[in-house]
């Protein structure tokens, strides 16, 4: 479905690919990037992707012009490193959900820098729930949204 740009595929849960295994994450990222129907990409229970695999996946994902919603649920955010690779996607983002992920102080700062670098013309809704952050760190994200 993904590789064929199926018009019925408007959301994609990355957990359908299972564990990191032997997937070609660059190819999956490219397929996501070329898809013209996707609106939502969910990262649910993704905790075994390496930084290299994430980078290959996010490179392609950032080319997609239709994704407006991204969900992270109980996933490894690599200390927030992934947010700097999602900046092109954040330009179009309408909804970002981060739930049950350990964002931490560094992750909060990296998320805030990614949000600040965007020149958004639309409202972005961000849902946080059980992010494992100590409260003060989230202030950086809130300030970035005011910019």
């Amino acid at each position: 479905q993904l590789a064929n740009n199926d018009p019925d595929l408007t959301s994609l849960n990355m957990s359908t690919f299972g564990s990191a295994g032997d997937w070609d994450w660059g190819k999956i990222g490219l397929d996501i990037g070329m898809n013209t129907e996707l609106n939502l990409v969910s990262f649910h229970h993704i905790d075994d992707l390496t930084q290299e695999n994430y980078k290959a996946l996010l490179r392609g994902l950032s080319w997609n012009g239709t994704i407006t919603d991204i969900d992270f649920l109980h996933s490894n955010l690599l200390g927030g490193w992934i947010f700097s690779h999602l900046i092109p996607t954040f330009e179009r983002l309408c909804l970002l959900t981060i739930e049950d992920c350990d964002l931490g102080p560094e992750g909060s700062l990296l998320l805030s820098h990614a949000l600040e670098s965007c020149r958004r013309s639309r409202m972005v809704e961000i849902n946080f729930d059980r992010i494992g952050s100590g409260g003060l760190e989230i202030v950086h994200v809130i300030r970035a949204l005011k910019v």
Side-chain angles (χ1 to χ4, degrees):
Q1 260 187 322
L2 180 61
N4 296 326
N5 201 24
D6 185 337
D8 294 329
L9 184 66
T10 58
S11 65
L12 178 65
N13 187 340
M14 296 306 298
S15 67
T16 59
F17 292 100
S19 63
D22 294 326
W23 290 100
D24 181 348
W25 293 102
K27 170 76 168 102
I28 294 169
L30 181 61
D31 289 343
I32 292 172
M34 301 300 285
N35 190 289
T36 60
E37 306 298 328
L38 276 177
N39 298 313
L40 166 68
V41 176
S42 300
F43 293 85
H44 293 187
H45 301 278
I46 305 295
D47 56 5
D48 59 352
L49 276 186
T50 64
Q51 187 170 343
E52 181 180 316
N53 287 339
Y54 255 128
K55 188 174 184 176
L57 175 65
L58 297 176
R59 186 179 306 119
L61 188 144
S62 68
W63 296 332
N64 182 291
T66 60
I67 294 171
T68 57
D69 300 353
I70 297 178
D71 293 343
F72 293 100
L73 170 64
H74 191 71
S75 293
N76 181 1
L77 303 178
L78 298 176
W81 171 87
I82 62 173
F83 296 125
S84 61
H85 293 275
L86 286 172
I87 290 172
T89 305
F90 280 12
E91 294 285 346
R92 299 175 296 280
L93 205 60
C94 294
L95 176 63
L96 173 65
T97 300
I98 301 173
E99 182 177 336
D100 227 0
C101 298
D102 187 8
L103 195 57
E106 296 84 13
S108 295
L109 279 173
L110 290 168
L111 174 57
S112 67
H113 292 312
L115 290 169
E116 285 172 345
S117 69
C118 295
R119 301 292 176 242
R120 297 178 312 277
S121 59
R122 69 179 87 192
M123 180 85 137
V124 176
E125 180 180 345
I126 299 182
N127 295 325
F128 290 116
D129 190 20
R130 295 181 306 274
I131 59 171
S133 186
L136 285 178
E137 295 85 9
I138 211 64
V139 169
H140 299 294
V141 176
I142 293 167
R143 284 186 186 143
L145 291 173
K146 289 185 175 184
V147 172

